[in-house]
Amino acid sequence: MFVFFSGISNDLSETLEELGIVVRRTRIEHHVENGYSADSSDLSTKNVSHILKINLDVSAMLAYVSSITNGSCNRYKFTTPVLIQQAEWESRRPVKPILDAYFQGKNLYCCETARNSFINILNTVGGSNEKIRGQELLSKLIVLPDNATASDTEGTNANLICFSSVQFSSNKVLNVGGKIRERSLIIFKFGDRIQAVTVTSNDGFVRAAKQQGIYFVVFVHESRALTEQKESKAIKL
C-alpha cells in the first residue's frame, strides 16, 4: 500500500475511491470491488462507432499511462493482490491496444475536473515514466470547462438518438451517493453534454446510473492502476 506521511486530501481520497482504491486515513489499499469486473463488458453502449468524440474519464487516463499497460506486466511479480490480478488480466487482454484502436480517428476530450484529478493522482502516486506518459497524453486532449456543451466541440450532431436517454431534465436527476460520486457525475455529465462516448473503467458508476434510469453513452474497459512506484518492491522476473 502507499503511505502518505503528511496525510491525504479529501479531493484525492475521493478520486482514488472512485477508481476502486480503499482509502483509510493516511494509507490507501488497492481494492477491486469498485473496478472493472468480468461481467462488465456488456455495459458498453452499442452502435456508437459513428460518434467521433471521446470523453476520457480519469480511470481511462490512468489505465493508458500505467506502467503495467506499457510493458511491465510480464517483468514484475507484484505482492499486492489487485496488482497481481491486473497483471494477469493485462497479460491476457492488453488494455492499451484496445484503447488505441478505439481512439483511432476520433477527437479526444476531457473536462477540467478530470484533467486536474488525473494530474493530482499522477503527482502523488505516479512514477517518473508514468508522469511523462501522462503529460504526453494530456498534450493530445482537448480540455474544456466542466460546463461545456456540444457547440464547443467539433463534429456536433444534435440528432444523436443515443443521447436521448441520458439528457437530464426536471424529471430525470441522478442522485449523488454510494457509487455515484460528485466528481464522476461531473465527468460523465460533461461527456453527455458534448455528445461524446465516455471511456471509463468505472463500471460501478455506470451500473448505479442505470439503476436510476440514466443510460450514459460509454465504452467500458478493464481497470489498471498506476504501478511504477510498486515495482521497486516487486519481484523482477
Side-chain angles (χ1 to χ4, degrees):
M1 66 183 68
F2 295 103
V3 180
F4 296 87
F5 293 103
S6 299
I8 181 173
S9 68
N10 290 333
D11 180 72
L12 178 57
S13 174
E14 289 182 7
T15 301
L16 293 172
E17 286 177 339
E18 289 168 3
L19 299 173
I21 298 173
V22 176
V23 180
R24 293 195 180 97
R25 296 184 181 179
T26 59
R27 302 192 303 176
I28 64 174
E29 299 174 354
H30 293 283
H31 197 279
V32 296
E33 181 179 349
N34 296 326
Y36 180 99
S37 58
D39 61 348
S40 295
S41 58
D42 62 335
L43 292 176
S44 295
T45 308
K46 306 298 188 294
N47 303 318
V48 293
S49 59
H50 59 290
I51 300 177
L52 301 181
K53 291 184 287 188
I54 287 177
N55 170 39
L56 287 186
D57 179 31
V58 179
S59 61
M61 298 185 204
L62 294 175
Y64 195 81
V65 306
S66 170
S67 182
I68 208 170
T69 61
N70 285 272
S72 75
C73 72
N74 295 316
R75 295 205 300 263
Y76 296 93
K77 182 178 180 180
F78 295 99
T79 57
T80 307
V82 69
L83 297 186
I84 293 173
Q85 182 183 57
Q86 290 193 0
E88 292 175 352
W89 284 355
E90 181 64 19
S91 294
R92 298 176 196 156
R93 300 177 299 275
V95 164
K96 194 167 183 180
I98 293 173
L99 294 178
D100 277 331
Y102 199 77
F103 295 166
Q104 188 67 34
K106 299 177 182 177
N107 294 319
L108 305 181
Y109 294 88
C110 78
C111 64
E112 291 177 340
T113 288
R115 187 265 316 272
N116 294 342
S117 295
F118 176 58
I119 292 174
N120 193 6
I121 294 173
L122 269 182
N123 289 339
T124 305
V125 297
S128 58
N129 291 311
E130 289 171 334
K131 291 176 181 177
I132 291 172
R133 285 191 290 269
Q135 291 303 316
E136 291 174 349
L137 175 60
L138 288 173
S139 70
K140 300 175 183 177
L141 304 184
I142 301 171
V143 182
L144 296 176
D146 293 348
N147 62 354
T149 64
S151 62
D152 298 312
T153 66
E154 300 177 9
T156 299
N157 185 346
N159 298 315
L160 289 174
I161 298 176
C162 58
F163 288 96
S164 63
S165 60
V166 183
Q167 298 291 339
F168 294 89
S169 60
S170 58
N171 63 343
K172 189 181 288 187
V173 178
L174 195 55
N175 296 316
V176 175
K179 302 288 187 181
I180 305 295
R181 298 297 184 92
E182 181 65 32
R183 184 177 296 101
S184 290
L185 184 55
I186 290 171
I187 294 170
F188 279 76
K189 286 176 68 175
F190 168 80
D192 172 39
R193 281 195 305 273
I194 70 169
Q195 296 192 337
V197 179
T198 296
V199 178
T200 182
S201 68
N202 191 352
D203 64 341
F205 178 94
V206 177
R207 291 182 190 280
K210 281 189 173 184
Q211 291 173 358
Q212 295 189 39
I214 304 295
Y215 295 82
F216 285 101
V217 179
V218 295
F219 176 77
V220 181
H221 60 86
E222 292 185 3
S223 60
R224 298 291 186 267
L226 298 181
T227 59
E228 191 173 357
Q229 286 192 19
K230 291 291 191 179
E231 291 171 2
S232 62
K233 296 183 179 180
I235 300 171
K236 197 166 185 178
L237 300 176

